Each structure stands twice: as structure tokens, then as C-alpha cells.
Amino acid sequence: MPASPSTARAINDRLALRLLQQDGPLTATQLKTRTGLSRPTVADLVDRLQEAGLVRVVGESGSDRRGPNARLYGIVADRAHLAALDVRTDSVAVVVADLLGVTLAEATLPIGGGTGTQPAVEAAVALLERTARSAGTAPLHSVGIGAPGLIDPVSGELRDTTGLPAWHRGLVKELQQRLPATVLVENETNLAAVAEHRAGAAPDRDTFVLLWLGHGVGAAVMLDGKLRRGASGGAGEIGFLPVPGTAGVPSALNCEGGFHSLVGSVAVCDLAADHGIKVRVPPGEAAEQDPAAAFAVRAALADGGPDAEAFLSALADRLALGAASVVAVLDPGCLVLAGEVGRAGGDALAARVEERLARMSPLRTEVRAGTLGGGAVLRGALLAAREAAQDVLFAPGGSSRDRAEGGRSPG
């Protein structure tokens, strides 16, 4: 059946808003060309979007032009703010941005292993509140959180996982209860895959597997442009994958003996030491952001000698073991080596893994280096928050004031 006039207007408005978000300020003529809509229809939708407080005139298209046709319309990006959190075992990082994703404020807070659950939660919440205040007076509309562990696919809650700090779950619950905003939580590796897909190594791939290489190892599965989380939210828990070369097999409570035992940061550093590679971790912020394995890989690439080459070769062998299982089951066609270690290894490590996979599997698989490093989690969390806000704020109809005040957390 043909769309009703109100439905057609909503579709047209959303299309125009998406174009303004992706391509920046546009004139009415440019909107007409890119949407394929008639000039009167574009004029009507521009009027509607201005009245709703969603767009405004931000300039003119040329110094020699004047009048309605020269007006540039842009998203009102400061009507609400977004926040993203990267929750790690011993730290939390926060970014606050406007509706176009432009960073307004950011901060990081280390949280020691001996910190109690409630003090850790309060410290993390206070960090977010301080960062939001420093970004301006606009309300927080949506908050995206990236955390290690399993996300329940039904409730969307972070599950209690052995070996992870209790304050992670406490922080998510506290933010959901305290903030007048939509609070979304997603597995950190899944968010990294979203970020590498949108703004990193795989913008041209709707099907790929991301292999996260940092302090630990994880994977994210993107099929036909959609994340696949599994029946219990555990798709990609590749650290538990049994592989040759380990001292034992993993258990339901411990991934030691699994793929993690070969390619986690500690294992990679031990491998480097076996090949005479000295890992020098500089003091300060760099050491806090990157695992020691990233420095080991950088040192080997800079060295270029036979011992360094032997280390990189052995590391590629280990990575190919886990990757081959993924390729055999999913045939993704593309594997992204992401995280701090993947980025440190760059094209050189990716090429070595690709060459080994070609020998181990008949399924052709391109291997790429991630480009976003550890920052992929925050980038992905911000993208999740941005999409959640746009679904509400950029929806035509209703009170723009109500939409700008944010939405309550689900549940």
C-alpha cells in the first residue's frame, strides 16, 4: 500500500537529516539533488525541521551568492550531548560529544585492583559527571558503554562474569538508575568492530571478523552488516578456543589453556623474551594505554633482525591457529587484527597471518590491520550513543523540547 502523507513526510525528513549528518551543511538545492525530491517537498521539509529545532541556517554556499537558495542548513548539534565510556579492568575512559560526534571533553581514571566495588562505581560516575559538565550545559541524551564480558541478549544487561571486577556491573546499574538518559551497554570487542566498520579498517566490508588483540583476546562477528552476538551473547569468546600448543585445555571458568594462552599480552611478551626481544615500556600515559605486547611487536618491527623476524613469524603462527578455526566455520572473507597489538603489528603482521591462513585453509581470507587501536571501543560506544539519540531526536513529530531532554534508560 502507498505510504500515508504523514509517513512519507517522516521518511523524507529522516533521509534529509541523514544526509546533513553524513555530508555536513547542505543547501536546499543540494538536498533536492541528493534526495531526488521535488523543490516544494524539500522546502516543506526544511521548514518542518527548522520549526522542530533539528536544523538551522549555518551559513551560505558562496560569497557571491545571496538569498534562500544560498542558505546552508546544518544539524543543531548542541541541543543535546552524548557520552561514551570504555570500561576496562583497571580504568575507565570517558568522552562527551555533540550530536555529530565531535568530541567536547574527555578524561581517563585509573582504578586500582584493591578499590572496593562502591568506591570504584562512585569514582567512575563522578568522572562522567565532571566530564559532562566541562562539555557544556546541554543535557546528556544517550550514553554508550563498552565493557568486557557477556551482555545478556534479552535484557541487555552486563552479566556477572568470573574474573572481571564487580564494579563493572555496579557502574552500569548505577548509571541506568541515576541518569535521565538512555544508557546502552555492549561488549567492548563488538563496539570495536562497529568502529572499524564505520571509520576504520573495514568500511567496504559488511561481512568480516574482528580479532581484538590487547591485554587479552576476543573476537566480533559482523555478518551482512549486523553484529552477531550468539544465543547467550557469547559469540566471539575466542580466548576459550582450544588450540594446539597450550599446556592444557580451558574450563568454563578460566580461558587459560585456550587461545588466550598463546596470544594474550603476557604470552606474547614471553614469546618475545624467548627470541631475545627486549620490551621497553615507557613510563606514564603510554604504558597505561597500551599493553606490553604492543611494545614488543613495535620493537621487533623496528629491529628487523633475524631474531625479531623469528618472533614475528612465531606470533603469526599462533594467531593463524585461532583465525583458521574462525575462517573454517564462518568464511568471513576478511579478518581485522584490531586492538593495540593489531595496530602495532600493522600491515606487516597482517600479511604474515594472511600468508599462513592461505596455507591452512582453502577459503580465501584477506587479513587487515585495524587502524583505530585501543580507541576503537570509545569510538564504537559513541556511535551507539549517537544512533540511539538520533532515533529519538531526529524523529519528526512530537515536542522538540521533550526530545532534547533525553530518554530514560531501558528497563
Side-chain angles (χ1 to χ4, degrees), residues 169-237:
R169 294 185 74 229
L171 173 61
V172 172
K173 290 183 177 180
E174 186 72 15
L175 291 177
Q176 289 174 335
Q177 293 170 3
R178 185 182 299 192
L179 294 180
T182 298
V183 178
L184 309 167
V185 60
E186 178 61 90
N187 175 268
E188 57 180 356
T189 306
N190 284 345
L191 289 177
V194 170
E196 291 286 4
H197 185 221
R198 301 282 186 83
D204 59 333
R205 291 278 189 168
D206 282 341
T207 295
F208 67 95
V209 169
L210 178 138
L211 193 62
W212 178 269
L213 303 171
H215 289 285
V217 59
V221 179
M222 183 80 73
L223 299 180
D224 299 323
K226 295 182 179 180
L227 284 172
R228 306 296 178 174
R229 298 174 175 85
S232 62
E237 289 293 327

Side-chain angles (χ1 to χ4, degrees), residues 36 57 218 260 274 315 342 361 393:
V57 176
H260 171 84
D274 291 342
L315 177 57
S361 171
L393 295 173

Side-chain angles (χ1 to χ4, degrees), residues 91-189:
S91 67
V92 59
V94 175
V95 166
V96 177
D98 66 18
L99 290 177
L100 290 176
V102 176
T103 297
L104 303 174
E106 55 188 328
T108 302
L109 178 70
I111 297 179
T115 307
T117 298
Q118 195 55 36
V121 169
E122 291 297 333
V125 171
L127 178 72
L128 173 58
E129 291 175 341
R130 288 195 304 271
T131 309
R133 284 195 300 270
S134 67
T137 59
L140 276 181
H141 183 280
S142 300
V143 179
I145 304 174
L150 303 181
I151 311 299
D152 189 293
V154 177
S155 67
E157 295 181 351
L158 182 63
R159 292 169 53 181
D160 188 9
T161 305
T162 301
L164 294 176
W167 66 265
H168 286 188
R169 294 185 74 229
L171 173 61
V172 172
K173 290 183 177 180
E174 186 72 15
L175 291 177
Q176 289 174 335
Q177 293 170 3
R178 185 182 299 192
L179 294 180
T182 298
V183 178
L184 309 167
V185 60
E186 178 61 90
N187 175 268
E188 57 180 356
T189 306

Side-chain angles (χ1 to χ4, degrees), residues 309-322:
E309 176 56 38
F311 160 66
L312 292 171
S313 179
L315 177 57
D317 288 341
R318 291 185 176 192
L319 291 170
L321 283 177

Side-chain angles (χ1 to χ4, degrees), residues 319-398:
L319 291 170
L321 283 177
S325 297
V326 172
V327 168
V329 173
L330 296 176
D331 185 20
C334 180
L335 182 73
V336 176
L337 302 183
E340 299 92 348
V341 178
R343 185 179 185 183
D347 294 338
L349 181 60
R352 287 170 169 84
V353 175
E354 181 174 324
E355 185 270 333
R356 283 155 178 77
L357 276 178
R359 296 202 309 259
M360 297 172 68
S361 171
L363 305 176
R364 177 175 173 77
T365 307
E366 180 185 8
V367 181
R368 300 178 180 181
T371 61
L372 303 178
V377 177
L378 269 178
R379 182 76 68 89
L382 193 60
L383 285 168
R386 182 174 164 183
E387 290 188 358
Q390 288 169 351
D391 286 342
V392 177
L393 295 173
F394 292 174

